[in-house]
Amino acid sequence: MNEEIRIDLRNPSAEFQAELKRSAQLCFKINNTMPMTAEYEELVRELLPNMDECSSISAPLQINLADRVKIGKRVAIMYNFLCMAAGGITIDDDVMIAANVSLISNNHDVNERQIITCKPIHIKRNVWIGANATILPGVTIGENSIIAAGAVVSKDVPDNVVVAGVPAKVIKSL
């Protein structure tokens, strides 16, 4: 389920390149459009076709492969969202993501740096991710959990806990 995908950047597929371009250009347009307007909402829906209409995202944002991002119902994502989505990212219903959060589903191979290694990120229902937190490749965040501000999450988080620190560790059960 959490299988690693490897992408050779020396020979990317046409589809990969096209989605990188589409996502970059739409992010630029969103970041330079008046928020809370019909034009802004239309651009967000074009960028994120797999985002529920009851969810919201605030600019500025940067998402590199937006077609690999799925966002559920009543999700709120604040400013400066960075999403490296080559491995796929799923955000379930009722999630709150604070400002300056990074979801990083890809990394570089240690020996062959032109190869990116990708694993999916899954954020389950009713999670709250605090400001400046970073979620790394292959991580699943359990239901109802809280990621403290500034945490770097490199391992799965169980349901109903608070994690904090670098690297993040469970500090409290809910």
Side-chain angles (χ1 to χ4, degrees), residues 57-78:
I57 189 166
S58 299
L61 59 105
Q62 188 60 51
I63 302 172
N64 72 339
L65 294 161
D67 67 338
R68 299 179 187 197
V69 178
K70 294 179 179 67
I71 299 174
K73 297 175 181 158
R74 298 171 304 279
V75 172
I77 301 172
M78 296 307 294

Side-chain angles (χ1 to χ4, degrees), residues 35-172:
M36 299 180 196
T37 63
E39 179 185 9
Y40 178 90
E41 292 302 322
E42 185 178 307
L43 288 167
V44 168
R45 301 302 165 201
E46 186 179 347
L47 174 68
L48 294 161
N50 299 315
M51 182 170 93
D52 187 84
E53 62 186 32
C54 296
S55 293
S56 65
I57 189 166
S58 299
L61 59 105
Q62 188 60 51
I63 302 172
N64 72 339
L65 294 161
D67 67 338
R68 299 179 187 197
V69 178
K70 294 179 179 67
I71 299 174
K73 297 175 181 158
R74 298 171 304 279
V75 172
I77 301 172
M78 296 307 294
Y79 314 99
N80 296 316
F81 182 59
L82 173 63
C83 188
M84 304 295 287
I89 293 175
T90 302
I91 302 171
D92 290 347
D93 299 343
D94 302 306
V95 169
M96 295 187 309
I97 298 178
N100 303 309
V101 166
S102 297
L103 304 182
I104 312 295
S105 73
N106 48 275
N107 200 352
H108 292 270
D109 184 272
V110 174
N111 298 311
E112 288 186 81
R113 303 222 174 115
Q114 291 298 317
I115 306 246
I116 57 173
T117 58
C118 314
K119 287 188 174 183
I121 291 173
H122 186 182
I123 300 169
K124 292 189 175 179
R125 190 186 65 76
N126 202 39
V127 166
W128 173 20
I129 301 177
N132 295 305
T134 299
I135 313 302
L136 295 176
V139 168
T140 296
I141 310 258
E143 287 191 7
N144 307 310
S145 288
I146 298 171
I147 309 304
V152 176
V153 184
S154 59
K155 295 184 178 170
D156 289 352
V157 173
D159 295 347
N160 306 303
V161 297
V162 177
V163 300
V166 179
K169 293 182 177 21
V170 174
I171 62 167
K172 179 178 179 180

Side-chain angles (χ1 to χ4, degrees), residues 5-53:
I5 299 165
R6 295 174 63 84
I7 299 170
D8 189 338
L9 297 176
R10 295 166 293 205
N11 188 27
S13 70
E15 295 83 8
F16 180 84
Q17 290 177 311
E19 182 55 24
L20 278 176
K21 180 178 179 180
R22 185 191 81 85
S23 294
Q25 291 178 345
L26 283 167
C27 285
F28 180 86
K29 286 179 183 178
I30 290 165
N31 293 337
N32 291 282
T33 298
M34 183 67 68
M36 299 180 196
T37 63
E39 179 185 9
Y40 178 90
E41 292 302 322
E42 185 178 307
L43 288 167
V44 168
R45 301 302 165 201
E46 186 179 347
L47 174 68
L48 294 161
N50 299 315
M51 182 170 93
D52 187 84
E53 62 186 32

